[in-house]
Amino acid sequence: MSIADEAIAAGNSAGTSSFRRWVRVVPALLLVAAATFVAAYYVPLHRAHVLLLEEQRKSNQKSKDLEQTLSQVRGELQAKTAEVEKSEAERQQSEAAKKSGLERVEQIKAELAGKLDKHIKKGVAAVAVAEGQAFVALSESAVFLPNTVDVSPQGQSLLCQVSGALSASGGGQAPLRAGAVSGPPDSVPAALQAAYPTPWELSAVRAATVAQALQEKCAVAGARLSAVGHADHDPAAAALGETKLSPGRVEISIALPGGSPAGK
């Protein structure tokens, strides 16, 4: 073999050896490149994707929670609004009823005053409406015979007129209460003081006598009547205000429709 052939053979051998090394190196390089790509790009991207999914899940959950809270708040607001509207409607209704009641009270008072105008002008009667009751106060001199606890003929007529007017205002069959005030001791005649030593006795007898007259002379059912003596105390004084009536008086009252029963 010539030197040239040996050189060629040696070159071929070197080339083959170099090629074989490259064949072994290239896969390793590709593997390294792939590993580098995975480590440098895929893993971070995957982690970022997972984080985004988690954030989206949390965001969706927060959105659901907010919607639930908003729905609850809306429900509570609607309930509160309905409650406020109901309360306002009840308040307006109550005010309207109160206004209507006051107007009715004034109407009843005016009706009673109109029916008893002659006696009011004479100063022997007074009309008042208070605490769900309408009542008429009468001077004892207009009801009883002098120095007695007996009802006079004029007193009987007056009591019947009063009971009729009150019954018309109170609904016809409402209870009537006859009350009597004896007045201060120095205003009571000596004859009556001798027969009835205490104001309680005198006022109680007068109240019972008036109730009896209402039943017997004015055809008021006994079941509708009650009698109470106030002695020299007058619970109706504030409602009557300043009147021309004498300290001793008779007061006939009736509960108005929607008001408290008489005597309570």
Side-chain angles (χ1 to χ4, degrees):
M1 181 179 295
S2 64
I3 296 174
D5 290 335
E6 291 179 356
I8 290 173
N12 289 335
S13 177
T16 299
S17 177
S18 177
F19 175 76
R20 289 176 178 174
R21 285 196 300 269
W22 277 108
V23 170
R24 290 194 298 269
V25 170
V26 167
L29 291 174
L30 291 175
L31 183 60
V32 172
T36 302
F37 174 78
V38 170
Y41 297 98
Y42 177 76
V43 172
L45 287 175
H46 179 69
R47 289 177 178 174
H49 179 67
V50 172
L51 290 174
L52 286 174
L53 290 177
E54 181 64 19
E55 289 297 326
Q56 184 178 7
R57 186 189 67 78
K58 291 181 179 179
S59 178
N60 291 339
Q61 185 61 42
K62 287 182 179 179
S63 177
K64 290 181 181 179
D65 293 342
L66 287 174
E67 289 179 359
Q68 183 177 1
T69 301
L70 180 60
S71 177
Q72 182 178 356
V73 170
R74 284 175 178 170
E76 292 176 354
L77 180 60
Q78 290 176 353
K80 190 64 176 179
T81 300
E83 183 180 348
V84 170
E85 290 176 351
K86 180 181 178 181
S87 178
E88 178 63 17
E90 291 176 349
R91 184 188 66 79
Q92 292 179 357
Q93 184 178 3
S94 177
E95 288 183 355
K98 184 177 180 180
K99 182 179 179 181
S100 177
L102 291 174
E103 291 175 352
R104 176 57 180 154
V105 164
E106 291 303 318
Q107 180 182 357
I108 290 173
K109 187 176 180 180
E111 290 174 356
L112 287 172
K115 293 176 181 179
L116 302 172
D117 181 66
K118 178 177 66 174
H119 305 289
I120 293 173
K121 289 180 177 178
K122 288 181 179 179
V124 297
V127 174
V129 178
E131 298 180 354
Q133 299 181 55
F135 56 90
V136 176
L138 303 172
S139 172
E140 60 182 13
S141 61
V143 177
F144 301 104
L145 293 170
N147 301 324
T148 72
V149 294
D150 299 324
V151 177
S152 66
Q154 295 82 3
Q156 293 175 8
S157 176
L158 179 56
L159 290 176
C160 292
Q161 187 177 355
V162 169
S163 64
L166 286 172
S167 295
S169 301
Q173 297 302 315
L176 284 174
R177 183 183 68 185
V181 180
S182 65
D186 57 3
S187 67
V188 179
L192 289 177
Q193 286 187 359
Y196 308 100
T198 69
W200 289 109
E201 291 179 87
L202 178 59
S203 63
V205 170
R206 280 178 168 173
T209 302
V210 168
Q212 185 174 356
L214 290 172
Q215 180 179 5
E216 295 178 353
K217 305 299 182 181
C218 306
V220 178
R224 293 178 58 200
L225 292 167
S226 62
V228 56
H230 298 296
D232 53 354
H233 310 289
D234 188 359
L240 288 169
E242 296 182 0
T243 67
K244 298 178 181 179
L245 297 181
S246 60
R249 65 182 62 158
V250 171
E251 295 167 355
I252 304 174
S253 62
I254 190 170
L256 297 175
S260 301
K264 292 185 179 181

